[in-house]
Amino acid sequence: MRPTLYDYVLSPSCYKARLMAALVGSELESVAVDFHPGGDHRKPEFLMLNPAGTLPVLTHGGLILTETTAMLVYLVRLAGRCEWLGGEDPASAARVQQWLAFSARLTASLGLARLHDMLGRPADIDAARWAGTLCLRELESALVENRLLGEDFLAGNAPTVADVACFPYVMLAPDGGVSLDPYPAIRAWTRRIRALPGFVEMPGIHRLHDLRPEPGEAEAAA
Amino acid sequence: MASVCGTLEVAVWRSASGRVAAWVDRCPHRGMRLSHGFVRGEMLSCIYHGWRFDGAGRCRKIPAHPDLDPPETIRTQSLACLDAQGVIWIASEAPAVAPPDLGNVVPLRSLTFEAGIDAVAAMTGEVPDRSLLRLDAHGPVPPLVLLLQALGPGRSAVHALAAPTGTGALVAASRALEDFRRRTEAQGIAA
């Protein structure tokens, strides 16, 4: 039996679970929830499942998960792909946890700005964008330092759940009026993630066209 | 990637073989930003309708008309562009002088400051040339060269290069630049 994802296609948090499953080669059952305009995630039936009224929710047998980072860890372990959890030495394990916690700050800043701009949710938009900018500066500096050490990803030289947790809200920052132009190291990192085997898209996040053959020329070569 | 040259919005890109080009950030077809496009081999494709341009800015392929050899009048608007010492220099017209010799330095990182280039230069205390600053070694931080690019009023890009040194010193330099940015921006808020 596959895990079931209560899903909304435009939600970056739901996308994290879909992306993680795709990257470790797992399949999910999907139940579409009308987050907007229906607001079904705040209706009594849904609150029976998740009293917090948030998306996504992942269920598997009797297990109900409502926190996205927990879902990422679960999907990785379920697939037996524990390399996605990072190294086991204390520092490596802590680095992954550091970025998983950081991802919540991205949601609260860049995610809030995006909800404000896309769905008209109330927010102090200038404060949300500035908080998001400070997060992006922190991320940019960390990625610069990692590159100086010869590391391509957030917690070392291989991608982990930390990268999957941070990538979507960063990539969609422009939806909330925060440009990624000032962050060359972040842009290079997002390209590395989008080039990973098994990578899947969501609206606003596309794979790298550069890696695909020119349409027409592929058929000609075949 | 997107950049600016004075008030001109610019797309800068590098081909697979390493050739760089800088164009006005506007496709001659429908005006889409070329910086949203993508590079395959030696060509840049516009993201909107896939028109493909070679390094000289000439349109070579229009996917909607696959049998058409595009006329050579279909071109992007090119800027002067030079790749030297790890820095891509752009100018709206062919410049009379070559870029300055930066000395023995390697590229470190680029940062955006919410402060104009005059404010950034003033923070270093020396302003003979407000677009090129040389900072002496300071504690673990190696000597730095800062190239200041105006991005608009109250906004600038600082491209930092460092004397070649160990990783630890480069990390220290990166952190020193962040400290420099925080102090520069705080100055603007106080003013």
Side-chain angles (χ1 to χ4, degrees), chain A residues 201-216:
Chain A
E201 303 181 324
M202 75 163 270
I205 301 181
H206 56 79
R207 54 170 59 86
L208 294 175
H209 297 288
D210 346 6
L211 299 178
R212 314 181 102 188
E214 189 74 30

Side-chain angles (χ1 to χ4, degrees), chain B residues 3-49:
Chain B
S3 188
V4 298
C5 183
T7 55
L8 218 48
E9 293 180 294
V10 178
V12 185
W13 65 285
R14 186 188 292 280
S15 78
S17 71
R19 175 175 168 165
V20 294
W23 300 337
V24 172
D25 198 3
R26 188 180 161 79
C27 181
H29 178 218
R30 291 289 177 186
M32 169 60 74
R33 284 185 187 279
L34 289 164
S35 59
H36 288 320
F38 54 94
V39 178
R40 273 201 199 108
E42 299 305 301
M43 306 265 203
L44 181 138
S45 298
C46 177
I47 196 72
Y48 198 7
H49 298 97

Side-chain angles (χ1 to χ4, degrees), chain A residues 12-31:
Chain A
S13 294
C14 295
Y15 168 65
K16 291 179 193 178
R18 296 197 299 275
L19 176 61
M20 190 74 257
L23 289 170
V24 298
S26 301
E27 291 188 18
L28 300 173
E29 298 296 333
S30 180
V31 175

Side-chain angles (χ1 to χ4, degrees), chain B residues 148-159:
Chain B
L148 273 49
Q149 177 191 13
L151 296 180
R155 206 145 199 260
S156 45
V158 174
H159 307 287

